[in-house]
Amino acid sequence: MLVLLDQTRLPAEEVELVCTDAPALVEAIRSLAVRGAPLLGIAGAYGVALAAVRGFDVEEAAAALEGARPTAVNLSVGVRRARAAHRAALAATGEPRQAAEAALAAARALHQEDAEASARMAEHGLALLDELLPGGGHRILTHCNTGSLVSGGEGTAFAVALAAHRAGRLRRLWVDETRPLLQGARLTAYEAARSGMAYTLLTDNAAGSLFAAGEVDAVLIGADRIAADGSVANKVGSYPLAVLARYHHVPFIVVAPVTTVDPDTPDGASIEVEQRPGHEVTEVTAPQVPVTGIGGGTPVAPLGTQAYNPAFDVTPPELVTAIVTEEGVVSPVTAEILAQVCARPAPGDDRLTA
Amino acid sequence: MLVLLDQTRLPAEEVELVCTDAPALVEAIRSLAVRGAPLLGIAGAYGVALAAVRGFDVEEAAAALEGARPTAVNLSVGVRRARAAHRAALAATGEPRQAAEAALAAARALHQEDAEASARMAEHGLALLDELLPGGGHRILTHCNTGSLVSGGEGTAFAVALAAHRAGRLRRLWVDETRPLLQGARLTAYEAARSGMAYTLLTDNAAGSLFAAGEVDAVLIGADRIAADGSVANKVGSYPLAVLARYHHVPFIVVAPVTTVDPDTPDGASIEVEQRPGHEVTEVTAPQVPVTGIGGGTPVAPLGTQAYNPAFDVTPPELVTAIVTEEGVVSPVTAEILAQVCARPAPGDDRLTA
């Protein structure tokens, strides 16, 4: 079985969610109980291993897991890696049990690699911050949740902020609440508080005031999928931050492992953006609130109100100052430099520039 | 006594709030039970009249009302107008009763004028839309709530969208939910639904995706205070829309009566922006939800989380395509044209341009 921290219950409660088969994990992924690009990859790989260990149809489980959420490429990468290990072992040995062991080993390896990738992204990201903003005292704005809750290690963008905090060079972490599901308020604030960081929560639309007041030195976000041209799909609300950052000449930095880069997606227009249910917008759901609405929340809009609720938006490469990966920093963001960094077999130089 | 529709209870319930004295009205204004720039002016004037009719200290009531919220200049304008009428009548007749009648007459006149101003703003605004966007089928994005709930008439920005709807030229009204208090979801969606408009609700941070997809033809917002240089203070989240609109070459139009223009505020930097309690961000308050947190809501962030919660932001005149007033359209937005339009004693030409 697979035991996950149910992220929908945070910060009010730390509840473990037990998945005994792949369909339960698919449901956990769809409901965002488990979420965040790197963690989705790890969960997908473990899900395939789980199906194999329990003797279910591995190919069927892999297909269901891969389709649970369309935008995050890491999910697909993790599922395929465990499935490939399973297929190879099955072909070589003909033993389902050995094939299941191979799938589990692949999931564990991915988990471990992700932790190591986090540490390297944090290192590269902090070096970049120090280069772009000499003197420290960084005031960093972040969106959504990118810390240890979504990673085998300390995360992506959050790991960089945490490294700055540990080095005594983080003045403030500005945390966008991240509507509609409030991952910033519920999860990033929780992780920042646990880490002893100086943080302040704000509504997503208050970020403009911070930029205008000169209170933001850099924006750091994660990514759910990066196209071959450097277009970045991330939590809805990232693109407006990129436009604000450009208007105010503030660096806009994306932190993501190379597995987030999908060479099969040529550009931003090719990225499929998941549309989520309207009730996430038309109803407010808070922990332990009695249920009355269609989605189990309390209505905050007239009944029958139609909602536009894309889960992600796409930021074009020209608005991205740098993409920080575990293999180095891509800056400026071009298809060529991105491909070069992603092609590295092992950690190489800190940075490639054109 | 003064009977108001309690806007904090909408759309779940239509509850009347009865204010029998000025302190009750001050509390209603602070809690946003009564809100919106034009309505605040009318309420302030009636509040002075109420104090006068009931024999309370009018000067004291006026001072308390004027200070209830710092950013909306209309509140101050309304209070001062009723107080001036009261003072003048008292000086002329020495009769408190006649002075109270004069204050009430001033409030009623303001109320009536506001209704007429709404109609004229709608007319000027629709003409401007048709000029900027020939062919109709307007897809308008709006923020916060600017309809009949905040006006003696049909409002400001919403009145323009409503005029477009009645003329068959509104394809869609995009309604920003407007965090933290969700005036868009609760109030604008309510007014749009009642008017039979085609509308769609979105989180504030999803507006960027609409701009990127070319789904927004114009942004229409109200204003709480306009400085002499044309800087516009409005609900937090307006400025990011202005930056997005500029980046995407979409007109950004402010609709406000001339009383919103404050010649004593020279520029954007001089506008005092009200900071509201952090619990509006750290807790979710929905109608009929059991109370547990500091602000009576359900916590959505870790306890002790600090919040940045400005009620307004300031958009500089260079990002504003036009200011539509009842006296005509200010475009381009310069101190000179703004002063000319505001100085008009009566409705003049439709538009002044440099």
Side-chain angles (χ1 to χ4, degrees):
Chain A
M1 67 186 199
L2 193 59
V3 180
L4 304 155
L5 182 64
D6 184 347
Q7 296 192 28
T8 65
R9 308 289 282 273
L10 290 171
E13 300 170 302
E14 296 185 7
V15 175
E16 287 183 343
L17 189 71
V18 177
C19 297
T20 55
D21 58 13
L25 180 59
V26 168
E27 183 47 38
I29 290 171
R30 285 217 177 105
S31 70
L32 309 189
V34 49
R35 48 154 288 285
L39 185 62
L40 283 172
I42 298 169
Y46 277 120
V48 170
L50 180 65
V53 168
R54 299 216 48 217
F56 292 115
D57 184 327
V58 170
E59 295 296 326
E60 193 185 305
L65 284 163
E66 220 181 323
R69 292 191 71 196
T71 306
V73 71
N74 308 62
L75 174 59
S76 189
V77 168
V79 166
R80 288 176 188 191
R81 180 160 163 183
R83 185 178 57 189
H86 183 266
R87 281 180 183 167
L90 199 59
T93 68
E95 286 284 339
R97 187 158 165 179
Q98 287 202 30
E101 284 296 331
L104 188 58
R108 285 188 175 134
L110 181 63
H111 192 163
Q112 178 60 32
E113 285 165 25
D114 188 65
E116 290 162 9
S118 270
R120 295 212 302 277
M121 283 185 273
E123 195 183 312
H124 292 315
L126 182 57
L128 176 67
L129 275 183
D130 290 343
E131 182 191 323
L132 291 172
L133 310 164
H138 306 319
R139 294 164 302 176
I140 293 171
L141 176 71
T142 193
H143 191 71
C144 202
N145 174 251
T146 60
S148 57
L149 288 167
V150 298
S151 164
E154 291 184 330
T156 57
F158 189 84
V160 176
L162 191 56
H165 168 64
R166 290 192 183 129
R169 292 200 290 278
L170 180 73
R171 183 145 41 127
R172 178 138 317 258
L173 184 67
W174 298 111
V175 179
D176 263 12
E177 63 174 4
T178 318
R179 280 285 288 158
L181 296 179
L182 301 173
Q183 288 95 336
R186 293 190 300 106
L187 308 178
T188 302
Y190 167 86
E191 295 195 303
R194 283 173 66 122
S195 307
M197 298 159 93
Y199 76 97
T200 299
L201 182 67
L202 56 141
T203 59
D204 305 315
N205 61 24
S209 307
L210 286 180
F211 279 105
E215 297 274 348
V216 181
D217 298 317
V219 178
L220 284 181
I221 63 162
D224 291 82
R225 183 183 294 243
I226 299 175
D229 73 342
S231 293
V232 175
N234 191 49
K235 178 61 55 196
V236 67
S238 300
Y239 173 66
L241 292 178
V243 173
L244 280 166
R246 169 59 50 94
Y247 192 74
H248 289 279
H249 310 292
V250 167
F252 183 85
I253 301 166
V254 174
V255 186
V258 293
T259 49
T260 308
V261 180
D262 180 13
D264 297 334
T265 301
D267 52 28
S270 315
I271 298 175
E272 180 190 354
V273 171
E274 174 184 2
Q275 299 288 327
R276 295 192 54 86
H279 68 71
E280 291 180 353
V281 181
T282 58
E283 298 176 9
V284 165
T285 311
Q288 300 155 314
V289 170
V291 304
T292 58
I294 292 165
T298 304
V300 290
L303 292 181
T305 291
Q306 183 192 354
Y308 169 71
N309 189 22
F312 306 99
D313 58 26
V314 177
T315 300
E318 62 268 24
L319 292 180
V320 180
T321 309
I323 298 175
V324 175
T325 77
E326 72 275 35
E327 304 298 350
V329 174
V330 178
S331 181
V333 179
T334 66
E336 294 68 35
I337 300 177
L338 186 61
Q340 277 179 280
V341 169
C342 291
R344 287 187 195 164
D349 296 336
D350 274 16
R351 192 168 178 192
L352 280 184
T353 48
Chain B
M1 69 185 195
L2 192 58
V3 180
L4 304 156
L5 182 64
D6 185 346
Q7 297 191 27
T8 64
R9 307 289 281 273
L10 290 171
E13 302 171 301
E14 298 187 4
V15 175
E16 288 184 342
L17 188 72
V18 177
C19 296
T20 55
D21 59 13
L25 181 59
V26 168
E27 184 47 37
I29 290 170
R30 285 217 177 106
S31 71
L32 309 189
V34 48
R35 49 155 286 285
L39 184 63
L40 283 172
I42 298 169
Y46 277 119
V48 170
L50 179 66
V53 168
R54 300 215 47 216
F56 292 115
D57 185 327
V58 169
E59 297 294 326
E60 194 184 303
L65 284 163
E66 220 180 324
R69 292 191 70 197
T71 307
V73 70
N74 308 62
L75 174 60
S76 188
V77 168
V79 165
R80 287 177 190 190
R81 180 159 162 185
R83 184 178 60 189
H86 183 267
R87 279 180 184 166
L90 198 62
T93 68
E95 286 283 340
R97 187 161 165 175
Q98 287 202 29
E101 285 295 332
L104 188 58
R108 286 186 173 136
L110 180 64
H111 191 164
Q112 178 60 33
E113 287 165 24
D114 187 65
E116 291 162 8
S118 271
R120 294 213 300 280
M121 282 185 274
E123 193 184 315
H124 293 314
L126 182 56
L128 176 67
L129 275 184
D130 290 342
E131 182 191 322
L132 291 172
L133 310 165
H138 307 319
R139 294 164 300 176
I140 294 171
L141 176 70
T142 193
H143 191 71
C144 202
N145 173 252
T146 60
S148 57
L149 288 167
V150 298
S151 164
E154 291 183 330
T156 57
F158 189 84
V160 176
L162 192 56
H165 168 63
R166 289 190 182 129
R169 292 200 290 278
L170 181 73
R171 182 143 44 127
R172 177 136 322 254
L173 185 67
W174 298 111
V175 179
D176 262 12
E177 63 173 4
T178 318
R179 280 282 290 158
L181 296 179
L182 300 174
Q183 289 95 339
R186 294 190 299 106
L187 308 177
T188 301
Y190 167 86
E191 296 195 303
R194 282 174 67 123
S195 307
M197 298 160 92
Y199 75 98
T200 299
L201 183 67
L202 57 143
T203 60
D204 305 316
N205 60 24
S209 307
L210 286 180
F211 279 105
E215 296 275 348
V216 181
D217 299 316
V219 178
L220 285 180
I221 63 161
D224 291 82
R225 183 182 295 242
I226 298 174
D229 73 343
S231 293
V232 174
N234 192 48
K235 177 62 55 195
V236 68
S238 301
Y239 172 67
L241 293 178
V243 173
L244 281 166
R246 169 58 50 94
Y247 192 73
H248 290 280
H249 311 292
V250 167
F252 183 84
I253 301 166
V254 175
V255 187
V258 294
T259 49
T260 308
V261 180
D262 181 13
D264 297 335
T265 301
D267 54 27
S270 315
I271 298 176
E272 180 191 353
V273 171
E274 175 184 3
Q275 299 287 327
R276 296 192 53 86
H279 67 72
E280 292 180 352
V281 181
T282 58
E283 297 177 9
V284 165
T285 311
Q288 301 153 312
V289 171
V291 304
T292 57
I294 292 164
T298 304
V300 289
L303 293 180
T305 290
Q306 184 193 352
Y308 169 69
N309 187 22
F312 306 100
D313 58 26
V314 178
T315 300
E318 62 268 23
L319 292 180
V320 181
T321 309
I323 298 175
V324 175
T325 77
E326 71 274 36
E327 304 298 349
V329 174
V330 179
S331 180
V333 179
T334 66
E336 294 67 36
I337 300 177
L338 186 62
Q340 276 178 280
V341 169
C342 292
R344 287 188 195 162
D349 297 334
D350 273 14
R351 194 168 177 193
L352 281 183
T353 49

